Amino acid sequence: MPNEIQSLLQDFGPGLTSDLISVLVENGLSSAAARKRIQRAEDDYSRMAGLRFEKNARFIYLTEQYGSRQFWDKFEKACYGSGKSYWGALTTLKAKGGVVPLSHFPRVAGTPAARKGQLSPARVLERLKAVNVLFLGIENMAVSLANEIAEDVALEGIKDWARRIGFGSFGKFAIRGDEQPPQVAGITWDLTAPSYIRPLVSVSQKGVKPGFLVCDISLFGSIERPEAEAFLRKCDLASAPVGMPPIMPMIVGHVFSADALELLKGKGILAITLRNLFGEELAQALRELVVMLTDMGARASVNPDHLLKVMNSLTQIEGGSSNLRGALFELVIGSLVKDVENGYLKTGDRRQDLVSGRKAEIDVQLDRGEQAGVLVIECKAKNANSRVSESDIRKWYGDRVPLIYSILTNGGSYKGKPFRFELWSNGDFSASGLKWLTEQPLVMDGYTVGWRDGKALKQYADKAKNTSLRTMLNDYYFHSPLRRVTANPSS
């Protein structure tokens, strides 16, 4: 027969010890007696060890309740009421599809890196990992990576827009991915800049002190009220320190729910859609970029004419073309080899080796039939004056090729087919790397090895029947503006 605490957990579900104390007090116990009763029954319930909430409360539950929908709903409610640092991190993470690169977690957590009385992002991550709420891994990274690339391109456009209208000091913008993270008040954002807009500036005997522009971007679906609340809490934390200059917060998304928009605007936050910022053409191109980089079916059957249209649109964003060229290179190469050689195409396929358990992403895989076999291409997009390094070449030849060969031939339908592995780049190979590669065996047991540098790739591209493929490679990979300027410094 369950005791009183077990009965309460059965009736009310998992929850904080402070909530159970309140129920027991309503039933006639004193606070001290209620607390003792819960402590004495600790062998009859489980708790999230290491995760403390306000007033030292613990989240407790019955073993059979763990992992249920009710369990997670109650846990989120507990975080919202008494553990806002946990709630803010989890809410923002969910709003981004549940997966972000580890380097982006400080921005997601939205807490100061070092402030008395506040949990740092590192501590939030440590505690949520310890209770198996957050995990480190590479699962479901396709959507995360696609959104990250689209957001990086958009951030370059936001940076250019904000500089041109004077929202921030022209040469002092910081953006995620920079060597120094964009921080204001010890909190990490996607973009920051000191701002001399009049309402943000303070003047004293020591001189003029600027305020700050802070901006986050979220392109995974609609920005709903919980994400808006988490962003507001982040802004409040940034403004809290005594003597902190004023901030001008901005959040950018594809679309906002009515509740979220009303909340943000009511608190003086700049809530801006990509359509309002860049126009419908660029906003739609960013949405299509995410689809192309996420959906395996779309990646295998991408229309080169459509891909060129997206690239032409997005490269209007100053600074965004570098991110874009690297992200789309394997799509361009995949479309190219299918156009020239036909066959069944896959790009960006993530697979696991049944023998070693290791995982790998296969950039381009073209099944050309029984006689020609399978062509597997590793893609290396390079900017001007950048070469494929010897270390990259050695890793490809000595590690990537054997691993992918094992993945495709162990228990798969490709066993017995001839295999060809090639390393392709629009740039040059380093002299030492090329020398090392030419000294290695190119015919192995079960497969052969080869490569194409920018010159060889251009010759191959000339075979393409689709003019959009040749245009993309010529405009964005062989003769990009940056490459032309570097090649002709006197022009």
Side-chain angles (χ1 to χ4, degrees), residues 346 349-362 365 374 376 399-415 419 421 447:
K346 291 182 180 180
D349 193 13
R350 290 171 172 81
R351 301 282 296 275
Q352 184 170 14
D353 183 19
L354 296 177
V355 177
S356 66
R358 295 176 61 200
K359 298 176 182 179
E361 178 176 319
I362 304 171
Q365 177 187 330
V374 181
V376 179
D399 181 66
R400 296 274 300 164
V401 170
L403 173 59
I404 294 174
Y405 181 69
S406 177
I407 288 172
L408 294 177
T409 55
N410 282 298
S413 58
Y414 297 107
K415 193 169 185 179
F419 275 81
F421 289 86
Y447 61 88

Side-chain angles (χ1 to χ4, degrees), residues 19-39:
D19 294 335
L20 264 67
I21 289 171
S22 297
V23 173
L24 291 171
V25 168
E26 288 177 5
N27 292 340
L29 290 180
S30 67
S31 295
R35 191 173 295 106
K36 282 290 185 184
R37 188 163 296 185
I38 292 173
Q39 288 174 351

Side-chain angles (χ1 to χ4, degrees), residues 39-345:
Q39 288 174 351
R40 284 196 295 266
E42 63 182 7
D43 291 337
D44 300 320
Y45 59 79
S46 300
R47 66 180 184 177
M48 281 193 158
L51 204 62
R52 295 179 183 271
F53 293 81
E54 289 178 7
K55 299 179 181 178
N56 209 29
R58 298 297 188 97
F59 187 79
I60 62 175
Y61 55 93
L62 300 176
T63 303
E64 61 268 23
Q65 293 172 330
Y66 182 80
S68 66
R69 177 61 182 270
Q70 182 195 43
F71 176 89
W72 293 118
D73 286 346
K74 291 281 190 174
F75 177 71
E76 186 172 350
K77 181 180 178 182
C79 289
Y80 182 78
S82 301
K84 276 295 203 296
S85 293
Y86 308 130
W87 176 83
L90 292 173
T91 297
T92 306
L93 184 61
K94 284 170 61 179
K96 285 185 162 291
V99 183
V100 295
L102 183 59
S103 60
H104 289 190
F105 188 77
R107 178 274 195 223
V108 167
T111 58
R115 188 185 300 176
K116 186 176 180 180
Q118 295 291 335
L119 293 176
S120 69
R123 184 59 62 86
V124 171
L125 178 62
E126 175 190 336
R127 291 188 178 180
L128 292 176
K129 279 171 52 186
V131 295
N132 297 320
V133 175
L134 294 185
F135 302 90
L136 299 185
I138 61 171
E139 300 301 325
N140 302 318
M141 281 300 293
V143 175
S144 171
L145 181 60
N147 277 285
E148 179 189 355
I149 291 167
E151 288 175 358
D152 286 345
V153 172
L155 282 168
E156 292 290 348
I158 295 167
K159 174 183 172 182
D160 182 54
W161 168 79
R163 288 196 307 185
R164 284 188 286 107
I165 65 174
F167 267 18
S169 297
F170 193 88
K172 294 187 178 180
F173 277 76
I175 200 167
R176 78 180 187 197
D178 288 351
E179 187 174 344
Q180 293 296 323
Q183 287 190 347
V184 168
I187 297 174
T188 302
W189 312 78
D190 285 330
L191 178 148
T192 62
S195 177
Y196 286 88
I197 290 180
R198 187 168 182 173
L200 303 182
V201 171
S202 57
V203 181
S204 67
Q205 293 180 344
K206 295 180 180 179
V208 176
K209 188 176 183 180
F212 289 93
L213 168 69
V214 296
C215 174
D216 279 348
I217 186 169
S218 183
L219 299 185
F220 187 89
S222 170
I223 294 179
E224 302 292 331
R225 185 182 177 94
E227 186 178 7
E229 284 190 50
F231 182 73
L232 279 172
R233 179 176 186 273
K234 185 176 180 179
C235 296
D236 289 342
L237 285 171
S239 301
V242 175
M244 177 66 201
I247 64 169
M248 179 167 59
M250 180 167 70
I251 183 168
V252 178
H254 277 305
V255 64
F256 295 80
S257 72
D259 280 353
L261 193 60
E262 181 180 8
L263 175 66
L264 291 165
K265 289 195 170 183
K267 297 293 185 178
I269 306 294
L270 293 171
I272 304 176
T273 65
L274 288 178
R275 183 173 179 271
N276 289 336
L277 196 59
F278 299 136
E280 180 57 34
E281 180 188 344
L282 284 177
Q284 181 62 27
L286 282 165
R287 285 191 289 268
E288 292 174 359
L289 173 64
V290 172
V291 171
M292 284 192 294
L293 292 174
T294 303
D295 181 25
M296 285 305 302
R299 297 183 78 177
S301 59
V302 63
N303 183 319
D305 300 332
H306 181 62
L307 182 56
L308 177 60
K309 180 182 176 182
V310 170
M311 290 191 76
N312 284 340
S313 294
L314 293 182
T315 50
Q316 296 176 44
I317 297 176
E318 184 177 340
S321 60
S322 179
N323 291 324
L324 200 60
R325 283 199 299 271
L328 296 181
F329 189 50
E330 66 186 52
L331 280 180
V332 176
I333 295 301
S335 299
L336 174 64
V337 295
K338 183 174 176 61
D339 181 271
V340 173
E341 305 192 31
N342 296 315
Y344 178 71
L345 173 69

